[in-house]
Structure formats: structure tokens, C-alpha cells
Amino acid sequence: MITFDKLKLVADISAVVGFDEGQFEKTEKNGFCTFKHYQEVPYLLAIKIDYPEKEVVLEFTGKVLGSDYPKLISMDTIQQCFQAINSLGIITLDIDAMMDAEVVKCDVTKDIRFDDIPSLTNYVRQHISNYHRYVCRRLRNNNLVVEKNVTSRKTKKRMTIYDKGKEMLKVENRRFSEAYGLEGAFDGICRFELNLNTKEQIRNSLAIGSTKLQEVLSSNANPIADFLDDVIEDDVLPSSMTDRKTYVTMLILKDCDYDLEKVEAKMRQLYPSRGSNISTIMQPYRQMMEQLNSSKESNLWENVRQQICS
């Protein structure tokens, strides 16, 4: 079942049964009013009641589920999300009408149990299939971000891999955990989060014909596995190099600090006209890195992918 940690929905204005104007910022233009509510604590909730456009825009995270946050947003929990929002007294939504909303942005999310997250993110960094096609960077908070190296917003995809347990130890998240009895609930959890920021991305990634909420939540696709299959080069053939080639390969790896991204950049300089064969050129270096890695690391990705596909 596909799960999300964030949804941004657009529904017809008729989905708004009522709201407390005192909790909204009101603006007026040409005789029409727009009302906005925004909060980040205890969780993100953004509401825009747009009378000129005759629509309501609603953005929220899985934390609206409170103690059920680990379940994330899915077909099983979506009505619970709307009920939780209604219970705040800020707005009352027609839940049936909201089920017909359009999804305009979403974060597809998969949590897996994996204790050695630094080894996992290091494995991903060293097994990027094409460092020219995908940009991989580690943020200051140790989150690993992999994104498609394109300028078009329609085709740009971004995935973040991070230690959810550590993220929940931040002050604002710790307060949330204490309030809903979730202390330790995410310990040992690695989160994969794929940002889909356009309707076209959502349709293509989820293999659906429209971005209606019910169709999005009913998708049988696994966009996180699909993205990683494209990003990760895991099919490394047995080494058939001679001793001389092995020696040269090791020298190049050492010169590039055993960083395959640096090796690929060097190879692109040395073989500027063979960009389409970069996978073949990089194969000896991937093989050598596999030999240098421990057997534990060799089995790492198989374990991770099994959980992602389950």
C-alpha cells in the first residue's frame, strides 16, 4: 500500500462546510475574499479558502494522525486525517467532497527498519549509476539527497534518505512525540521520501490517469523502488581484470579518494566523446570497490530493497 507524509490538495469551495474567521488572515480584492491559515506546530497545516478561484487548498503532514503518525497517510487513514483537521475547530470540511480533491503535490514515503543508516547512505553514494544524470549530496544534518539533474520542474525528482529516529529528537518533534506517546517509535527507522511537485510527476510516478485523491491513494505503483532502481547501479559483474589493470584501477581510485563520483568526473574528462558508454568505463572501478567492501555491505542493498518492495 502506498503511503505519504505530506499531501497538498485542491478541492471545490463547496467542500468547506464552515470555518472560524478569527483563525484566518483575510484579504480582499475586487470584492472577493481569501482566507489563509498557517501553522507548523504541532504539525504543518496550511489552509487557503479562495473565493475568487472558488476552491480550498489544503496542505498537511501525517502528523495530523497524532499517535497514529507511524501509519502515515494512506487510503486506510485519509478519513482519519480529515476528521482530525475538523476536530481542531479551525475549519469543517465535507470529507466526502474532499475525497474528490486533486492532489497537486505529495511526498511518497516509505519507512524501513535499518540500524546502520550511515552505511546505507554511503552505499547509495558509491553506487549512483550515473553521477552526471543524478546529483547526490549529503546535507549538514547527514540527510542524503539524490535528485535528477534536470532544470525542468516537470521532470525533476528529489529523494531524501534519513534517520527518522534522530529527526524525531529535534525539540519541536520531541514535544510532538511526548504529547502523543511516540517516544522511541521511530528508533532504528530509515525514511525514504520522494517529492512529487507537479501533477504530471504524480501521474507518471504513480502510473495513474488522474490526480484525484482516491486514485492517488489507490495506486499500486512503487515509485520509491522505481526511482532507486534507476539511480542505483547494483549489478556488478565479477572482475576479469589483469594484474596491470587492477594496479591502474587502484591508483585511480586512490587518487580520487575512493569516491566513485570523483572517478566518474575524471573519466568524463578523459573520455569526452564516450559519454554514452560511461557505465562501461566505470565498471572496473565499481568492481574494485565491491571487492574492497565487506560481505555485510554486499548484502546491504538486497535487504533494503526487499523492505522497500514489501
Side-chain angles (χ1 to χ4, degrees):
M1 178 174 59
I2 194 164
T3 53
F4 304 82
D5 192 34
K6 185 190 291 184
L7 291 178
K8 185 173 183 180
L9 310 174
V10 178
D12 188 83
I13 194 74
S14 61
V16 179
V17 177
F19 62 98
D20 180 359
E21 285 194 30
Q23 300 196 57
F24 286 78
E25 177 186 341
K26 178 181 178 181
T27 58
E28 186 172 352
K29 185 177 181 181
N30 299 326
F32 291 96
C33 295
T34 299
F35 297 86
K36 293 181 181 179
H37 172 87
Y38 183 84
Q39 65 179 58
E40 292 185 342
V41 179
Y43 43 74
L44 172 67
L45 176 62
I47 307 169
K48 181 181 179 183
I49 304 171
D50 193 334
Y51 282 100
E53 297 296 328
K54 298 181 181 180
E55 64 185 22
V56 56
V57 183
L58 180 69
E59 185 172 11
F60 59 95
T61 66
K63 286 181 180 176
V64 300
L65 291 165
S67 58
D68 283 332
Y69 176 40
K71 295 180 180 179
L72 296 170
I73 304 168
S74 69
M75 182 62 84
D76 290 344
T77 62
I78 186 63
Q79 295 206 13
Q80 185 180 346
C81 292
F82 291 137
Q83 290 164 0
I85 292 170
N86 283 348
S87 70
L88 297 174
I90 299 169
I91 190 170
T92 301
L93 298 166
D94 181 328
I95 295 178
D96 289 339
M98 288 303 300
M99 293 300 295
D100 199 42
E102 293 273 354
V103 181
V104 294
K105 285 185 181 181
C106 61
D107 290 348
V108 183
T109 306
K110 180 70 174 181
D111 287 345
I112 70 168
R113 186 157 294 280
F114 202 88
D115 293 326
D116 193 358
I117 296 174
S119 291
L120 169 56
T121 55
N122 185 61
Y123 183 92
V124 172
R125 288 183 70 248
Q126 295 298 334
H127 287 76
I128 299 295
S129 60
N130 188 320
Y131 291 98
H132 189 70
R133 186 178 180 188
Y134 293 101
V135 177
C136 182
R137 54 197 172 91
R138 192 184 299 278
L139 305 183
R140 288 184 179 179
N141 58 7
N142 285 323
N143 290 1
L144 187 71
V145 173
V146 183
E147 56 189 341
K148 210 168 182 180
N149 189 20
V150 293
T151 56
S152 171
R153 183 170 174 268
K154 290 183 179 181
T155 56
K156 195 174 189 69
K157 287 184 181 179
R158 167 187 164 117
M159 175 176 286
T160 307
I161 305 171
Y162 62 98
D163 187 328
K164 184 61 178 177
K166 285 187 177 180
E167 197 241 5
M168 292 302 289
L169 293 176
K170 294 178 181 178
V171 175
E172 64 275 16
N173 289 331
R174 191 163 62 244
R175 289 173 183 159
F176 174 84
S177 295
E178 292 170 353
Y180 292 100
L182 292 174
E183 299 97 323
F186 291 95
D187 290 353
I189 294 296
C190 179
R191 172 161 290 188
F192 291 77
E193 200 166 270
L194 180 65
N195 310 128
L196 302 177
N197 295 317
T198 68
K199 293 169 73 172
E200 182 177 343
Q201 277 187 6
I202 294 169
R203 286 193 301 270
N204 292 340
S205 297
L206 302 188
I208 53 180
S210 80
T211 58
K212 292 290 186 181
L213 178 58
Q214 293 202 55
E215 189 165 359
V216 167
L217 296 177
S218 299
S219 171
N220 292 319
N222 191 333
I224 289 178
D226 293 342
F227 183 79
L228 289 171
D229 284 347
D230 198 30
V231 168
I232 301 298
E233 177 64 68
D234 191 48
D235 185 19
V236 180
L237 300 176
S239 174
S240 59
M241 297 180 291
T242 64
D243 288 343
R244 177 177 174 275
K245 287 183 177 180
T246 300
Y247 179 65
V248 172
T249 299
M250 285 297 296
L251 287 177
I252 293 173
L253 282 171
K254 184 177 180 180
D255 183 57
C256 294
D257 303 318
Y258 298 95
D259 187 326
L260 290 177
E261 184 172 4
K262 292 181 180 179
V263 174
E264 183 175 311
K266 178 68 71 176
M267 292 303 105
R268 287 184 183 278
Q269 291 178 351
L270 296 175
Y271 300 96
S273 62
R274 296 180 63 187
S276 60
N277 296 321
I278 194 66
S279 180
T280 301
I281 295 169
M282 287 294 295
Q283 190 177 87
Y285 306 100
R286 296 189 190 282
Q287 293 171 1
M288 184 58 66
M289 287 299 295
E290 284 294 315
Q291 292 178 18
L292 294 174
N293 288 335
S294 66
S295 59
K296 177 181 177 182
E297 289 178 321
S298 299
N299 296 325
L300 179 152
W301 190 246
E302 181 180 354
N303 176 10
V304 169
R305 199 181 183 288
Q306 284 179 354
Q307 292 192 64
I308 289 174
C309 292
S310 65

